[in-house]
Amino acid sequence: MANLLMGTGFYFLIPTLPVFIVDVMGAGPEKVGYIIAVYTLSALIIRPLTGYLLDGYGRKWIYLGAFFLFAAMLGFYTIAITFVWLMVLRFIHGFTWGAATTSSSTIVVDVVPANRRGEGIGIYGLSFTLAMAIGPGIALVVLGDGNYNRMFLSSMAIAFAGLLLVLLVKFPAYE
């Protein structure tokens, strides 16, 4: 459920951010690709470092920190007033997404009993697929009157709800 909510918060931006960039920021449509690419690039860059940190320093605090920063940064979209600021925000936000998703998948493998690991990983994967299915639709409903701040803050609230659920997870002791 926590990953479903985090993913839903993430997928709020897929149909809405390109329109925000063009209509509100006044950037050309060609710049939308840069915004998507910089996020993906930073999420990719952080994954090997996250894996190293997870193995070296434990899972719980890295995951909680990455999840918290991911959720909190959704609120910063409300103050993104220039294209450059949005690029920097997306780059940093991509780091948090990459670290949070790498951490969560590692934790799923740690937490799910070995005899149910396939089922557990399948449900975990389904959480992101469901988020991809429902997040954009919910975002478009929330954005119905064009209030991007409400949409960004709703995305943040949904992600923080996921973070609250993570606090209920019993993490295995780090060795």
Side-chain angles (χ1 to χ4, degrees):
M1 285 305 298
N3 283 296
L4 173 67
L5 293 171
M6 180 176 69
T8 300
F10 168 75
Y11 285 111
F12 256 52
L13 302 182
I14 296 302
T16 59
L17 199 57
V19 179
F20 175 78
I21 292 165
V22 174
D23 290 350
V24 176
M25 297 190 106
E30 72 281 356
K31 293 196 175 181
V32 171
Y34 293 120
I35 293 295
I36 303 300
V38 73
Y39 190 92
T40 304
L41 179 65
S42 63
L44 181 66
I45 290 170
I46 199 67
R47 290 181 192 279
L49 176 61
T50 302
Y52 171 78
L53 294 172
L54 290 168
D55 287 342
Y57 299 98
R59 276 85 155 118
K60 181 179 183 176
W61 298 112
I62 294 168
Y63 181 45
L64 288 174
F67 202 136
F68 173 81
L69 290 172
F70 170 80
M73 291 196 73
L74 288 163
F76 284 97
Y77 286 84
T78 63
I79 59 172
I81 56 173
T82 68
F83 183 77
V84 172
W85 166 238
L86 186 60
M87 284 283 285
V88 170
L89 175 61
R90 291 289 287 174
F91 188 73
I92 296 167
H93 201 207
F95 282 146
T96 66
W97 174 256
T101 55
T102 300
S103 300
S104 65
S105 60
T106 304
I107 290 166
V108 165
V109 173
D110 289 346
V111 171
V112 175
N115 64 332
R116 298 190 69 196
R117 194 157 290 145
E119 178 186 0
I121 292 171
I123 291 169
Y124 168 78
L126 181 61
S127 70
F128 284 115
T129 303
L130 286 173
M132 189 185 319
I134 65 172
I138 296 170
L140 291 172
V141 169
V142 171
L143 185 59
D145 65 354
N147 186 332
Y148 283 93
N149 284 344
R150 180 177 53 234
M151 193 271 308
F152 292 136
L153 294 174
S154 296
S155 173
M156 182 179 72
I158 289 169
F160 270 119
L163 180 63
L164 291 175
L165 291 176
V166 169
L167 297 174
L168 302 174
V169 174
K170 302 233 187 266
F171 292 85
Y174 174 69
E175 296 177 18

